[in-house]
Amino acid sequence: MADSSARKRIAIIPGDGIGIDVTAEASKLLHHLAATRRLPLELVTFDWGADQYLREGVSLPAGALEMLRRDFHAIFVGALGDPRVPSNQHAADILLGIRFGLDLYVNQRPVKLLDARLCPLKSRVERDVNFVIFRENTEGLYAGVGGNFKRDTPDEIAVQEDVNTRKGVERILVYAFEYTRVRGLKKLCMSDKSNALPFGHGLWRRAFQEVRQRYPDVESSHLYIDTLAMEMVRDPGQFEVIVTSNMFGDIISDLGAQLQGGLGVAPSANIHPGAVSMFETVHGSAPKLAGKNLANPMAAFLTVGMMLDYLGWAGESTRIENAVRDAIRQNKTTPDLGGSLGTREVGEWIVEELSH
Ligand code: IPM
Ligand code: MN
């Protein structure tokens, strides 16, 4: 969307399960900031999710991508997934549909320990766990290229291709290097499995060799993905920026989420620089917790922070993060973090904290 007006239009997709619970809190936070911090926000909610899919057979409605591109600056997503749709086809259609359809090639997943008590590793403090994962978000094993031959017979063959394009790999590498430089960071680690996947990941290796020459100020290194997983647990403090492929990024971002206290505190952004981008919690819809006032709204709040940062309000993002940190310190948390408050109570506490 052209940036002619200062007003920022945000599409809100609560989705399914606890996505609906945490998005209710995120919306309250956004309304509060709009009112008290004079942020010119306009929120529009879309009830895309399992209910609509079961009712009308529609996941991502026709024309949705064009509308999002034309009318919105950002998209906030709670979570998608519902046991009544065993294939979770609607979730893939909506989430992957938006990621691919809007070409959101950067999946940014920060791993930041907000309170030492939340880290499952022994004697780690906040500065030991503070890095960002950049996951390629539009190709790789997620490209949907493949098929089944002789399906449902004993001779079935299933092929799922790993699609790596030179342009696709280069642009995520460049984004990660630029981020490192612009944020005044020093270290970037690229991870792949080029020892076993010489064609696809050989391309990653070659592109990396070339791109890193343009960033002599950045200390860049390479680790195979298995070694990276091990090192993330052994000594997470060595990392500042990690960049990797779609599937590997999916896996290590869950590992990273645990290092910072679990999925209840893990935010993410799906970005196409300069265009409408999508912000979502890393956690799923947790159907068993849904509607019980049990879900942790902090991941959604931190996700709102990432969105406001993207929209040009970095200060608001910092304020939200500080309020979440205060809530954790003062045990104003849901049961996943050892507290006894509900989703709404944690949300209210943080919004109240932001009023001062
Ligand atoms: C994530 C999720 C998705 C992914 C699923 C729901 C398709 O695990 O956002 O990390 O694999 O990207
Ligand atoms: Mn995942």
Side-chain angles (χ1 to χ4, degrees):
M1 184 178 186
D3 228 358
S4 53
S5 81
R7 181 162 292 272
K8 304 290 184 192
R9 284 174 55 89
I10 299 173
I12 308 260
I13 307 172
D16 304 321
I18 63 164
I20 296 170
D21 305 347
V22 300
T23 302
E25 299 311 309
S27 298
K28 285 186 214 162
L29 171 63
L30 282 163
H31 282 294
H32 175 82
L33 294 174
T36 59
R37 309 285 295 173
R38 303 228 180 107
L39 302 188
L41 301 174
E42 192 178 328
L43 312 181
V44 183
T45 301
F46 296 94
D47 61 350
W48 304 339
D51 282 340
Q52 176 186 271
Y53 183 68
L54 290 166
R55 212 171 49 232
E56 298 161 26
V58 173
S59 48
L60 192 62
L65 293 173
E66 293 71 21
M67 178 214 37
L68 291 169
R69 206 182 284 123
R70 187 183 62 231
D71 299 338
F72 290 90
H73 296 91
I75 305 158
F76 178 94
V77 179
L80 287 151
D82 189 298
R84 292 170 300 161
V85 187
S87 66
N88 272 323
Q89 186 59 44
H90 70 296
D93 288 354
I94 296 169
L95 216 53
L96 300 181
I98 294 176
R99 284 183 192 167
F100 283 72
L102 297 180
D103 197 30
L104 308 178
Y105 68 89
V106 178
N107 193 326
Q108 180 177 347
R109 297 189 158 178
V111 177
K112 187 167 183 178
L113 183 61
L114 292 180
D115 187 297
R117 281 183 305 150
L118 298 187
C119 189
L121 304 178
K122 263 185 291 178
S123 39
R124 302 294 160 149
V125 294
E126 289 80 351
R127 68 168 180 281
D128 296 325
V129 183
N130 186 7
F131 57 92
V132 183
I133 297 169
F134 287 105
R135 163 186 180 188
E136 199 294 319
N137 212 28
T138 51
E139 48 186 50
L141 276 163
Y142 280 67
V145 175
N148 297 82
F149 182 48
K150 300 186 184 175
R151 202 189 149 124
D152 296 327
T153 75
D155 297 323
E156 174 162 354
I157 297 170
V159 175
Q160 193 87 45
E161 296 287 357
D162 185 15
V163 177
N164 299 274
T165 69
R166 175 69 204 211
K167 280 185 191 161
V169 171
E170 183 157 339
R171 66 181 180 173
I172 186 69
L173 291 175
V174 166
Y175 192 92
F177 270 105
E178 285 293 327
Y179 179 94
T180 309
R181 179 180 274 173
V182 169
R183 302 271 166 150
L185 300 171
K186 292 268 159 321
K187 292 185 286 187
L188 176 149
C189 176
M190 192 281 274
S191 186
D192 61 32
K193 191 66 188 172
S194 47
N195 50 351
L197 311 174
F199 312 121
H201 287 194
L203 186 153
W204 276 78
R205 259 333 248 291
R206 282 179 280 117
F208 179 60
Q209 278 311 330
E210 204 180 297
V211 173
R212 73 196 300 193
Q213 309 295 328
R214 295 179 228 156
Y215 298 86
D217 49 321
V218 174
E219 202 184 296
S220 55
S221 62
H222 170 265
L223 287 177
Y224 294 124
I225 189 69
D226 47 348
T227 310
L228 174 68
M230 182 172 74
E231 289 296 316
M232 277 174 66
V233 174
R234 191 185 68 80
D235 178 19
Q238 70 187 289
F239 298 111
E240 289 183 351
V241 174
I242 293 172
V243 56
T244 190
S245 61
N246 207 340
M247 175 66 91
F248 292 164
D250 177 46
I251 299 167
I252 63 162
S253 59
D254 273 26
L255 172 52
Q258 286 306 320
L259 296 179
Q260 65 181 329
L263 290 168
V265 290
S268 82
N270 301 263
I271 296 170
H272 185 110
V276 58
S277 293
M278 174 170 74
F279 300 81
E280 53 167 327
T281 60
V282 177
H283 66 67
S285 60
K288 290 198 182 102
L289 303 183
K292 295 183 179 155
N293 198 33
L294 281 172
N296 188 345
M298 289 174 171
F301 279 19
L302 295 167
T303 299
V304 165
M306 291 188 84
M307 180 168 75
L308 295 179
D309 188 347
Y310 183 74
L311 294 174
W313 293 302
E316 298 305 322
S317 177
T318 307
R319 290 180 73 242
I320 293 171
E321 189 180 297
N322 288 339
V324 168
R325 187 185 285 109
D326 288 348
I328 297 169
R329 288 216 178 115
Q330 299 185 39
N331 280 325
K332 305 296 179 194
T333 57
T334 43
D336 58 308
L337 297 189
S340 56
L341 297 186
T343 311
R344 287 189 291 275
E345 289 69 34
V346 171
E348 269 161 34
W349 194 92
I350 295 172
V351 168
E352 166 64 22
E353 181 79 356
L354 282 164
S355 304
H356 319 133

